Amino acid sequence: IRERLGLPAGKPVGAFAAKDVTIAQAKLLAFYDVGDVVQFVTKSGEFEKGDTLEVLEKHPDRLVMRNSKGRLVEFAPAQHAGAATIGTRETIELSEGERIRFTAGDKEKGYLNGDKSKVVGFRPGFGPIHAKAIIQLDRTGEKITLDIEDGKPLPIRYGYAQTGHSAQGATAKHVLMYLLSDDPTIDAKRFYTDVTRAAETIKLFPYTRFESE
């Protein structure tokens, strides 16, 4: 999609991709892997909201983590379940004109979970001052800045596609819908919710689980 839009090569930015785990599972070491990232959404013990940790070592009773400042800390998942989100760090490219979607909210920084936005520019860094991406929110038209050099992965994804669940309440003039036809969780209600995201036209592209592998 980015190539068809003619977007140039962008700036590499760390993005946070949440893992599909429950709060109960987040208490168990088995659901953590070396390289995973834990982001705190609220204060818990010694950790503040916004703190980001990366799993370096996995032991039978604890994890050894590294925070964004490079300090090593020990982490017991059962003590912080519900206060943090487990995920992985991905690198995506952002260019001016890029469409993005926030996957978590931060009222202090001005964005909400699900906010659709556009990259409208960049502010270069110099010395101790980090480079920033300038983002314009569709919801309010307000422009906010995101630090893209502090070592913390941002809660963003490309904004060109999303699941039917996350698109509830939203509409678009034209929709391309990829439908897993042998998905046992699809029923009439879910199908109706998905197809009614289109205001004018929709094209369905059904595929089977075998074709997706």
Side-chain angles (χ1 to χ4, degrees):
I1 293 176
R2 299 183 74 254
E3 292 179 1
R4 294 291 297 272
L5 291 174
L7 293 174
K11 296 182 181 296
V13 174
F16 181 77
K19 296 176 71 171
D20 187 16
V21 297
T22 65
I23 292 178
Q25 291 170 337
K27 297 179 180 180
L28 305 175
L29 285 165
F31 290 90
Y32 293 78
D33 298 301
V34 172
D36 279 355
V37 174
V38 173
Q39 285 193 333
F40 281 83
V41 296
T42 186
K43 178 178 173 58
S44 180
E46 66 182 288
F47 303 108
E48 301 291 337
K49 177 182 177 181
D51 280 352
T52 300
L53 309 174
E54 180 180 354
V55 180
L56 293 184
E57 300 175 10
K58 184 175 178 180
H59 299 278
D61 59 341
R62 71 194 189 286
L63 301 170
V64 176
M65 317 281 279
R66 178 174 56 202
N67 65 18
S68 56
K69 296 181 179 179
R71 186 169 67 90
L72 300 185
V73 297
E74 291 192 350
F75 181 81
Q79 297 177 10
H80 305 285
T85 303
I86 314 169
T88 57
R89 182 194 302 267
E90 299 179 355
T91 300
I92 65 174
E93 291 188 357
L94 292 186
S95 302
E96 190 169 337
E98 199 85 65
R99 297 289 306 173
I100 62 172
R101 176 173 55 86
F102 285 92
T103 57
D106 190 323
K107 292 184 178 179
E108 295 176 1
K109 296 181 179 178
Y111 57 84
L112 303 178
N113 185 18
D115 264 348
K116 299 177 182 64
S117 311
K118 182 179 181 180
V119 180
V120 296
F122 294 91
R123 188 176 300 163
F126 181 76
I129 301 175
H130 295 164
K132 305 288 197 302
I134 305 171
I135 312 296
Q136 185 169 31
L137 303 175
D138 291 359
R139 176 174 51 85
T140 63
E142 180 185 0
K143 293 180 181 178
I144 63 173
T145 59
L146 298 178
D147 192 324
I148 58 176
E149 290 187 339
D150 66 355
K152 298 179 181 180
L154 298 170
I156 58 173
R157 308 294 291 173
Y158 286 128
Y160 305 112
Q162 60 190 120
T163 64
H165 177 76
S166 63
Q168 290 186 53
T171 57
K173 284 186 178 181
H174 309 289
V175 172
L176 304 178
M177 179 177 168
Y178 288 82
L179 179 68
L180 184 59
S181 56
D182 56 348
D183 185 347
T185 67
I186 293 179
D187 56 20
K189 182 178 179 180
R190 177 178 166 186
F191 182 74
Y192 175 81
T193 299
D194 291 349
V195 299
T196 51
R197 298 311 95 209
E200 295 182 9
T201 66
I202 183 169
K203 291 185 178 180
L204 299 181
F205 297 87
Y207 66 99
T208 66
R209 197 175 305 275
F210 176 78
E211 292 172 332
S212 67
E213 295 177 349

